[in-house]
């Protein structure tokens, strides 16, 4: 696996791991500073830049992931293909492509911008808060996912009907429906009317 800022070992001069920083933004998505990742998610949350990726196969089915049980935020819940945070100064598109490969072991064969959405979603289980200015991306995947078990417990390709059924019985991330609904126009454009999104 290639070494990236997310998988490399970062050590400061005193031997401790460096904190992961997020980009803080204003309501218009303009960068106003940085904050350590965990502190940005503690109540009431600080508005920060994020991204969400929705990848589809040739049949128009959405690739879902179940977040690994060891994750500190929303472990074990189902969510969109990939989501995360750009490093300060990193383009959201580059971050989305990077994290999709790091988490799922695949690179999208197509990845396109699908707008932005701003939301505030507390996570009842952890007490953390998602105050995010989220950049949305839709795309296609042709390779078989090879998830990193530290990040992803399971994956599944679902049709709209299968998603409705799964959403009724399984636990999904607090932000999932917000980002999916915001991305739907781009999803429909990508998958066509017959896919049913």
């Amino acid at each position: 696996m290639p070494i990236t800022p997310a998988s490399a070992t970062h050590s400061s001069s005193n031997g401790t791991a460096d904190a992961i920083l997020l980009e803080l933004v204003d309501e218009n998505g303009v960068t106003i500073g940085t904050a350590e990742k965990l502190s940005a998610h503690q109540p009431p949350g600080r508005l920060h830049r994020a991204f969400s990726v929705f990848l589809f196969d040739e049949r128009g089915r959405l690739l879902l992931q179940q977040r690994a049980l060891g994750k500190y935020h929303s472990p074990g819940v189902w969510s969109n293909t990939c989501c995360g945070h750009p490093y300060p100064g990193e383009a959201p598109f580059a971050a989305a492509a990077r994290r999709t490969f790091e988490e799922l072991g695949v690179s999208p064969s197509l990845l396109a911008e699908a707008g932005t959405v701003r939301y505030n979603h507390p996570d009842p289980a952890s007490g953390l808060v998602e105050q995010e200015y989220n950049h949305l991306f839709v795309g296609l995947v042709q390779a078989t996912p090879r998830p990193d078990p530290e990040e992803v417990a399971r994956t599944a390709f679902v049709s709209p009907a299968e998603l409705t059924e799964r959403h009724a019985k399984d636990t999904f991330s607090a932000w999932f429906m917000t980002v999916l609904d915001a991305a739907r126009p781009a999803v429909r454009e990508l998958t066509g009317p017959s896919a049913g999104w």
Side-chain angles (χ1 to χ4, degrees):
M1 182 171 95
I3 294 177
T4 68
S7 59
T9 301
H10 294 287
S11 295
S12 62
S13 58
N14 64 7
T16 61
D18 290 343
I20 295 173
L21 296 178
L22 306 185
E23 217 171 64
L24 299 179
V25 299
D26 66 16
E27 293 292 337
N28 298 311
V30 176
T31 302
I32 58 172
T34 60
E36 190 276 325
K37 184 177 179 181
L38 184 57
S39 72
H41 289 88
Q42 290 172 334
R46 299 177 74 187
L47 185 60
H48 58 274
R49 194 176 309 284
F51 64 83
S52 290
V53 177
F54 297 86
L55 295 183
F56 296 83
D57 68 6
E58 70 283 350
R59 294 168 49 191
R61 298 179 304 167
L62 172 61
L63 175 58
L64 297 177
Q65 70 156 274
Q66 183 183 32
R67 293 165 62 85
L69 293 174
K71 291 182 83 73
Y72 78 91
H73 189 349
S74 302
V77 303
W78 286 91
S79 199
N80 49 293
T81 308
C82 180
C83 54
H85 309 94
Y87 293 118
E90 182 182 27
F93 184 94
R98 172 179 57 79
R99 284 303 290 164
T100 299
F101 182 79
E102 290 171 353
E103 290 187 10
L104 296 161
V106 294
S107 294
S109 56
L110 172 75
L111 191 64
E113 294 182 5
T116 58
V117 63
R118 192 263 194 252
Y119 53 79
N120 175 3
H121 283 303
D123 175 38
S126 68
L128 299 174
V129 178
E130 289 289 5
Q131 283 266 19
E132 293 190 330
Y133 187 93
N134 196 303
H135 297 257
L136 307 171
F137 298 93
V138 299
L140 300 174
V141 62
Q142 295 174 309
T144 301
R146 292 172 285 114
D148 176 351
E150 297 288 316
E151 299 286 346
V152 180
R154 289 188 292 167
T155 62
F157 282 97
V158 296
S159 67
E162 290 166 337
L163 175 60
T164 299
E165 182 181 316
R166 186 181 289 268
H167 196 263
K169 65 183 177 74
D170 291 331
T171 304
F172 275 71
S173 63
W175 62 87
F176 175 74
M177 286 309 297
T178 299
V179 292
L180 176 59
D181 287 344
R184 273 187 204 274
V187 168
R188 290 183 185 122
E189 186 175 339
L190 176 74
T191 60
S194 63
W197 293 100

